[in-house]
C-alpha cells in the first residue's frame, strides 16, 4: 500500500467540515480519479497528501511513513517524492516557463546537465514549445496550467497528484495531457487526479472515488463510472 | 555547502534582484539613507569628541610662588610637581612674562602697565598640565601643599562646568548614535520584511514543491548582503565626498579642526560597509522565517 | 449593433500575435460562445472589450463608442456597464465573499439598501449561501469561481463577459450556472462567454465563434456546433 | 464628495488597516521612528540655537575713558554711546570696580593688588551691549571715534571666532535637519510604496471592475493620514516623556538651560503631528499613481 487514510477528518479553523471520516487505500501504480461536486473536499484530501493541511483527526501513511506525525524537517523529502499540479497553478511569477520547470528539479538537487536535457523535453510534452522564455503573466490560462503539469512530471515522481489539471484546456489538449498521464502511469507512477471532466473519466476505465460533503459515497475500482 | 550550490544561489539572488526592481530599489535606498545618517552622526560625534578633548586638555593649573622664593628653590619645586603622579607638563612663567600677559589682555599699546606701576606686583608661577584633565582638582590640591607655593588656581567652577558639559554631550551623543543605529536596523529590517512579504506566495509555493528552508533562505541572504553592502557603499561615497568638501570649506575654522586622519575615516567607512552588510543579512534573517512555516 | 470589431489584431510586446485581423459584430441581447484551443486568443479578445488590452491594429466599438480611442477617464464607465467573470477569478483576497460582491456595487455607486438586498440574493443564486463571510482563501476552486460570477451579475450589467466560468465546476453546478446565465440573457443582457465545455455549447444552440491561432475559423449563428 | 462616500471611505480604510496587520505595523513604526529622530534633531537644534544666542549676547564692548575725563564728560559720553543705532545697554564701570575685578581674576585673598600698587593704573570704562551681537565690531569702531574715549576692546579675534563657529553650527544643523526631513519623507514614502506594492493586484482588479482612480485613492489616502498621524503621535509621546526626564536630570547644568517653554514645545509637537499626517498622504500620493494606470 502506498497511501493509507484511516478515519481522516478535517475541520478548518473557521469550523467548516471539509472531510468527514475518510478511510482509503491506494496501491502503488494505481490511477485514481477523485470526483464530486464543487466544495466536496477533493482539494482538501489532496492537500493532506503533501501536508499543506494536517488532518484534524485520523492517520495518513504514505509509503508507510505517517504524514501526520512527520517532523517539520522531513516534509521537504515527502514533497520531493511527489509531483503536484495545483488547481490554481501556483507558478513562480518572476520566473520564465523554463525556469519554473527547472526550479522543481533544482529543489531536488538534480544535476545541471540533467536539468538542461529534461526541461525542454517536458515543455515539449505538454505542447508549450516556443513558450520557454515567457513569464506566467504572458501565458493563456491553459498554457499556465500546462506549465504546472510540466513542472509536476519533470522529476519523474513516485506519486503524481493533479488537482483539476484540465479545467482550462480544450478537449484535444486535454486528451493529449491525459495520454501523457497514462503513459507516465504505465511506467509505474501512482496518479491521483481530481477532476470534473466526465468525458475523460468515462473513457479512462480507472478507479473513481466520488466525494460528497466530505464523505466517500462511491469507490468504484472498475471505473464503470456513470452519473 | 557545495561550490555548485553557492554559484547557484548567487545566480538566483542576482536574477531576483534584477527582476524585482521596485523591491531592490526600495531596499538599497533605505539602506543607504539610514547608513548615511548614521555615518554623519558618527562623524559629528567623532569631531565633537575631538573638540571636547582639546577643550579639556587646555585646562591647566597655575601655581603661584611666594614673592621671595630663590632660584634654586623654584627649580626644586618644579621637580616636586613633576613627581606627582598624573602630571604631564610643567612650564615656568616668570613674573615679567606674567605682567606681559596681563598687559596683553588689557589691550596692548593702550596702557603701559610697566610705566604706571613702580614695581611688578605679580609673582613667578608654574603652568601645569595633567595627563587626564579630570585629575586637575585633585592634583591642584596636592601642589598647594608644597613649600613656597603661595596659591594655586585652575579656573575652579569653570572647569567643573566644562566637565559637566562634556559629560552630557558625550552621553547624549552615545544615546543618539544608539537610537540612530536602532532606527537603521529597524527601518532596514522593515523594508526587507515588506519586500519579502511581497514575495510570500513565491516562498509558500517553493515550500510546497519540496524546497528546504535553507534552499529558500540562501538566495535571500545573498540578496540581503548585496543590498546592504551596495546601499552602504552609496552612502559611503556620498559621505566621503561631502566630508571632503566640508573640510576644504571649513578651513577658516583652523581653531576648530575637523578630523582628517585618513586612517580614522577609513575605519569609519569600512565599519559602515560592514554594518550595511550585517543589517542586510539581519533584516533578512528576522523577516524570512515567518514565511517559511508551511 | 452593440459590439463591433473591425480588423482587430493584437501583437503583445514580446512579439506574440494573439489576434489576427478579427472582424465581428454582436447584437444587443445575443448569447455568444467563444471556443477554440488553448492559446487561441479567446481571453485576449475578451480583454479588448473592457480595455484591459488595447488592439495593435483595428477598431472596436461598444454601443457606438470607440474603445480604442476612449479617453482614460471614460474607461471606468465602460467597465461599469459590464459584468466580467475572469478566467483566474481575480477576487479581492482581503475581502469576504459578501464584501467582494458588494464592492462591485459600491464601485457603480449603488445605494446602501440596494446593496444590502442584492448581495445575499446573488450569492444565493450561485449556490454559495452560508459562505458569505468566508475569505477567498477559505473557499474551494469552484466556490471562488462562483463568487466571481455573483460579482459579475450583481449590477445587472448591459453586457456580461465570462471567461471560462465553469472550468472549476462539476456538471450539475455548471448547469445551474448556465441556467442562471440564460435567464439573465432572456432579460436582455448580452452575454459573451469563452469556454471549453463542449457539452454546454452543444446543448445551448446559441451562436458559436471558433478561434484558432488568433483567427476566426467558423462563426456559426445557428449553434449547430459540431466537432 | 458626498458625506455617505466619506463615511464609506473611512470604513474601507479602517477595515484594510485591520486586515493588513503587517503592512499597518510596518508603516506606523517606520513613521514613528523617522519622526522621533526628526523631532530629537529639532529639539537639539533648538537648544543649541538658544545656547548660541546666549553666548553671542554675552559679547560686549568695553570703552576705556581717558584718565583725566571729568564726571560730566563721562555722563555725556554715555548719551553719545546710547545714541548710536543698535546699542542696547550701557553700563558704567569705575576704575575702582575694574581693579576689584582684576583682583578677583588673579585669585582673591592671595595677592592684595591695592596693597602692592601705589595708585590705581586702570581707567574708568563703559560696558556696552548691542541689540544684535553681530554689530559689535561696527559699533565698537564708532565708539572709538568719540571724544575722551581712549580705547575700545571687544575680544577682537575671539568674537569673530565665536561668530564663525555659531555660523557653522547653524549651517550644519539646518543641513542635518534638512537631510533628516528628506530621509523621513523618503523612508516613509518607500514603506508606503512597498505596502501598496504588496496590494497592487487588488488595485489592478478594482480598476478592472470599473472603479475610478478617486474611488481607489480615497481609502488609501485616509489610511495614509491615519498611519502617518498615529506614527507621529507615538513618537511625540516618546519624545515628550524623554525630554521631560532629561530636563529633570540636567537640572545641574543650570548655566546651560534647556528650552522648557511649554509653548515652544507644543508648537514643536503639533508640527511633528502635522508632518506625520502630511508624510502619510504624500507617501501615498507619490506611490499609488503608478499602480492605477490600468
Ligand atoms: N482554508 C480553508 N478554510 C476554511 N474552509 C475551507 C478552506 N479550504 C476549503 N474550505 C472549505 O472546505 C470545503 C471543501 O473544499 P475543497 O477545496 O476541498 O473542495 P473541492 O472538492 O476541491 O471543490 P472544487 O471542486 O470547487 O475545487 C469547501 O466547503 C470549502 O469552502
Ligand atoms: N500578456 C501577454 N503577453 C504576451 N503574450 C500573451 C499575453 N497574454 C497572452 N499571450 C499569448 O497570446 C496567445 C493567446 O492568449 P489567450 O490568453 O488569449 O488564449 P486563450 O484563447 O484565452 O487560451 P486559454 O483557453 O488557454 O485560456 C497565447 O499564445 C498566449 O501565450
Ligand atoms: Mg478543489
Ligand atoms: Mg483564456
Amino acid at each position: 500500500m502506498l497511501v493509507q487514510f484511516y478515519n481522516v477528518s478535517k475541520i478548518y479553523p473557521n469550523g467548516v467540515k471539509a472531510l468527514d471520516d475518510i478511510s482509503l487505500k491506494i496501491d502503488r501504480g494505481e490511477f485514481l480519479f477523485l470526483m464530486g461536486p464543487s466544495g466536496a473536499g477533493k482539494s482538501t484530501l489532496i492537500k493532506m497528501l503533501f501536508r499543506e493541511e494536517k488532518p484534524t483527526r485520523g492517520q495518513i501513511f504514505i509509503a508507510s511513513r505517517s504524514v501526520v506525525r512527520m517532523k517539520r524537517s522531513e516534509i521537504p523529502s515527502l514533497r520531493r517524492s511527489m509531483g503536484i499540479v495545483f488547481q490554481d497553478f501556483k507558478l513562480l511569477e518572476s520566473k520564465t516557463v523554463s525556469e519554473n520547470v527547472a526550479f522543481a528539479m533544482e529543489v531536488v538537487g538534480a544535476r545541471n546537465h540533467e536539468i538542461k536535457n529534461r526541461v525542454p523535453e517536458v515543455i515539449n510534452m505538454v505542447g508549450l514549445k516556443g513558450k520557454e522564455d515567457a513569464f506566467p503573466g504572458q501565458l493563456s490560462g491553459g498554457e499556465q496550467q500546462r506549465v504546472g503539469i510540466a513542472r509536476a512530471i519533470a522529476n519523474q515522481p513516485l506519486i503524481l497528484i493533479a488537482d483539476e489539471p484540465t479545467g482550462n484546456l480544450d478537449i484535444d489538449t486535454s486528451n493529449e495531457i491525459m495520454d501523457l498521464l497514462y503513459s507516465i502511469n504505465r511506467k509505474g507512477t501512482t496518479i491521483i487526479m481530481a477532476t470534473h471532466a466526465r468525458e475523460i473519466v468515462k473513457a479512462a476505465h480507472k478507479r473513481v472515488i466520488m466525494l460528497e460533503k466530505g464523505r466517500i459515497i462511491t469507490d468504484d475500482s472498475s471505473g464503470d463510472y456513470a452519473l | 555547502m557545495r561550490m555548485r550550490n553557492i554559484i547557484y544561489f548567487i545566480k538566483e539572488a542576482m536574477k531576483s534582484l534584477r527582476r524585482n526592481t521596485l523591491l531592490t530599489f526600495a531596499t538599497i535606498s533605505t539602506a543607504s539613507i539610514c547608513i548615511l545618517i548614521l555615518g554623519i552622526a558618527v562623524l559629528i560625534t567623532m569631531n565633537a569628541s575631538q573638540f571636547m578633548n582639546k577643550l579639556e586638555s587646555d585646562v591647566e593649573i597655575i601655581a603661584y610662588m611666594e614673592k621671595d622664593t630663590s632660584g634654586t628653590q623654584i627649580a626644586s619645586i618644579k621637580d616636586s610637581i613633576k613627581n606627582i603622579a598624573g602630571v604631564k607638563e610643567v612650564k615656568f612663567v616668570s613674573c615679567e612674562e606674567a605682567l606681559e600677559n596681563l598687559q596683553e589682555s588689557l589691550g596692548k599699546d593702550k596702557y603701559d602697565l610697566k610705566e604706571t606701576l613702580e614695581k611688578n606686583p605679580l609673582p613667578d608661577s608654574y603652568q601645569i598640565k595633567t595627563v587626564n584633565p579630570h585629575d586637575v582638582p585633585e592634583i591642584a590640591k596636592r601642589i598647594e601643599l608644597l613649600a613656597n607655593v603661595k596659591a594655586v588656581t585652575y579656573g575652579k567652577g569653570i572647569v567643573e562646568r566644562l566637565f559637566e558639559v562634556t559629560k552630557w554631550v558625550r552621553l547624549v551623543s552615545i544615546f543618539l548614535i544608539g537610537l540612530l543605529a536602532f532606527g537603521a536596523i529597524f527601518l532596514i529590517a522593515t523594508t526587507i520584511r515588506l519586500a519579502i512579504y511581497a514575495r510570500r506566495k513565491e516562498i509558500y509555493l517553493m515550500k510546497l514543491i519540496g524546497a528546504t528552508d535553507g534552499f529558500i533562505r540562501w538566495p535571500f541572504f545573498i540578496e540581503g548582503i548585496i543590498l546592504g553592502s551596495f546601499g552602504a557603499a552609496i552612502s559611503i561615497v556620498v559621505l566621503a565626498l561631502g566630508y571632503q568638501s566640508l573640510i576644504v570649506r571649513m578651513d577658516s575654522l583652523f581653531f576648530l579642526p575637523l578630523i582628517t586622519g585618513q586612517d580614522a575615516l577609513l575605519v569609519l567607512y569600512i565599519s559602515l560597509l560592514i554594518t550595511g552588510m550585517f543589517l542586510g543579512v539581519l533584516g533578512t534573517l528576522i523577516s524570512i522565517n515567518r514565511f517559511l512555516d508551511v
Side-chain angles (χ1 to χ4, degrees), chain A, chain B:
Chain A
M1 282 300 139
L2 186 61
V3 180
Q4 289 154 296
F5 276 60
Y6 293 108
N7 308 100
V8 172
S9 293
K10 173 68 186 182
I11 302 172
Y12 281 107
N14 65 351
V16 173
K17 189 164 201 163
L19 290 182
D20 188 2
D21 199 32
I22 299 280
S23 293
L24 179 66
K25 287 197 169 64
I26 304 172
D27 250 337
R28 212 171 279 273
E30 254 192 280
F31 196 122
L32 174 76
F33 288 109
L34 270 179
M35 295 196 78
S38 176
K42 303 179 292 298
S43 297
T44 304
L45 193 152
I46 278 178
K47 286 176 184 171
M48 302 273 157
L49 292 170
F50 50 91
R51 227 181 92 160
E52 187 177 355
E53 297 288 351
K54 254 178 142 177
T56 313
R57 268 192 301 279
Q59 268 298 341
I60 300 172
F61 295 94
I62 293 184
S64 307
R65 284 196 300 174
S66 164
V67 177
V68 183
R69 282 191 241 120
M70 188 169 269
K71 270 183 272 160
R72 193 174 180 285
S73 58
E74 294 176 293
I75 299 174
S77 89
L78 170 76
R79 291 175 181 162
R80 286 180 199 183
S81 69
M82 304 173 167
I84 309 167
V85 183
F86 299 92
Q87 192 169 10
D88 56 353
F89 319 153
K90 291 208 196 304
L91 304 180
L92 291 164
E93 298 278 335
S94 62
K95 288 187 187 291
T96 64
V97 169
S98 291
E99 287 168 353
N100 263 283
V101 177
F103 185 77
M105 299 188 70
E106 284 149 5
V107 160
V108 303
R111 286 167 195 284
N112 278 341
H113 70 266
E114 280 181 274
I115 297 177
K116 264 204 197 93
N117 290 332
R118 180 75 176 154
V119 170
E121 191 181 30
V122 291
I123 288 178
N124 201 15
M125 281 181 189
V126 298
L128 285 180
K129 203 167 185 153
K131 294 286 178 192
E132 291 85 353
D133 296 328
F135 287 93
Q138 300 175 324
L139 295 178
S140 81
E143 286 164 350
Q144 290 181 36
Q145 192 156 45
R146 284 179 280 159
V147 178
I149 296 168
R151 180 179 63 188
I153 63 175
N155 288 325
Q156 298 175 296
L158 190 65
I159 310 177
L160 183 74
I161 298 167
D163 197 350
E164 200 87 65
T166 61
N168 286 274
L169 298 178
D170 60 290
I171 187 72
D172 294 336
T173 316
S174 290
N175 286 336
E176 282 165 30
I177 294 294
M178 288 315 299
D179 289 341
L180 182 58
L181 295 189
Y182 296 140
S183 84
I184 290 171
N185 178 239
R186 274 194 300 275
K187 286 183 200 139
T189 297
T190 307
I191 300 187
I192 300 167
M193 170 169 160
T195 188
H196 292 303
R198 292 200 303 177
E199 303 178 17
I200 288 175
V201 179
K202 264 185 193 159
H205 297 284
K206 305 279 186 189
R207 180 175 170 196
V208 179
I209 290 180
M210 287 282 302
L211 286 178
E212 215 178 283
K213 295 190 180 143
R215 296 179 150 274
I216 295 182
I217 55 164
T218 59
D219 183 348
D220 186 349
S221 320
S222 69
D224 295 331
Y225 160 81
L227 231 163
Chain B
M1 205 172 44
R2 277 169 307 151
M3 197 55 206
R4 189 171 92 75
N5 278 346
I6 298 178
I7 293 172
Y8 170 72
F9 290 139
I10 292 177
K11 270 191 194 158
E12 283 293 296
M14 297 302 298
K15 224 188 272 169
S16 126
L17 289 175
R18 251 184 295 118
R19 291 193 183 158
N20 299 292
T21 32
L22 182 81
L23 306 182
T24 303
F25 173 76
T27 316
I28 288 186
S29 49
T30 298
S32 64
I33 284 184
C34 289
I35 292 171
L36 179 63
I37 288 171
L38 190 63
I40 290 176
V42 172
L43 259 185
I44 290 179
T45 306
M46 280 166 68
N47 278 298
S49 159
Q50 160 172 299
F51 181 62
M52 290 187 306
N53 286 343
K54 189 166 166 295
L55 280 185
E56 288 186 348
S57 70
D58 281 350
V59 170
E60 57 187 15
I61 303 167
I62 299 176
Y64 297 102
M65 306 295 108
E66 298 280 0
K67 209 65 193 134
D68 42 10
T69 316
S70 72
T72 45
Q73 278 171 322
I74 287 178
S76 88
I77 288 175
K78 181 170 190 168
D79 291 336
S80 314
I81 294 174
K82 273 199 166 163
N83 280 336
I84 298 172
V87 169
K88 192 169 80 182
E89 211 180 290
V90 181
K91 195 184 139 208
F92 181 68
V93 181
S94 69
C95 56
E96 291 81 21
E97 285 173 82
L99 189 66
E100 198 77 37
N101 291 344
L102 181 62
Q103 167 85 62
E104 192 111 355
S105 74
L106 287 177
K108 210 170 181 170
D109 304 328
K110 306 290 169 177
Y111 291 92
D112 195 336
L113 271 179
K114 283 180 201 147
E115 172 193 285
T116 339
L117 300 171
E118 264 135 54
K119 70 177 212 227
N120 185 346
L122 300 174
D124 292 330
S125 60
Y126 276 115
Q127 282 175 8
I128 300 129
K129 294 222 168 176
T130 59
V131 177
N132 181 350
H134 290 267
D135 293 339
V136 158
E138 180 64 22
I139 291 173
K141 251 184 232 157
R142 298 185 58 185
I143 295 174
E144 200 159 18
L145 299 176
L146 296 176
N148 288 317
V149 172
K150 178 161 189 198
V152 165
T153 80
Y154 61 89
K156 201 169 185 162
I158 306 238
V159 168
E160 279 83 358
R161 282 187 188 188
L162 175 66
F163 288 159
E164 188 85 343
V165 171
T166 55
K167 189 189 93 188
W168 274 102
V169 172
R170 287 198 176 101
L171 266 178
V172 168
S173 33
I174 286 173
F175 169 76
L176 284 181
I177 296 281
L179 183 78
L180 288 174
F182 168 79
I185 293 173
F186 188 89
L187 293 171
I188 293 175
T190 300
T191 311
I192 293 179
R193 168 167 298 202
L194 287 177
I196 293 179
Y197 178 76
R199 295 167 63 189
R200 67 197 178 283
K201 291 199 172 159
E202 245 176 80
I203 296 173
Y204 186 85
L205 159 64
M206 290 179 181
K207 285 287 312 226
L208 281 193
I209 60 178
T212 57
D213 294 352
F215 194 84
I216 296 173
R217 255 195 227 114
W218 270 104
F220 278 97
F221 274 176
I222 295 168
E223 280 184 54
I225 292 176
I226 295 174
L227 291 169
S229 42
F230 200 71
I234 292 175
S235 68
I236 290 167
V237 169
V238 172
L239 193 62
L241 293 180
Y243 191 62
Q244 205 53 45
S245 87
L246 196 70
I247 288 177
V248 172
R249 242 162 259 205
M250 292 221 338
D251 222 19
S252 56
L253 291 185
F254 53 92
F255 54 92
L256 221 183
L258 292 175
I259 291 176
T260 52
Q262 291 304 315
D263 282 0
L265 292 179
L266 204 66
V267 168
L268 172 65
Y269 296 153
I270 290 173
S271 317
L272 288 178
L273 190 66
I274 292 171
T275 306
M277 219 180 284
F278 172 74
L279 290 186
V281 174
L282 187 74
T284 308
L285 185 68
I286 54 185
S287 302
I288 199 166
N289 282 340
R290 70 178 290 174
F291 300 111
L292 283 176
D293 209 9
V294 179

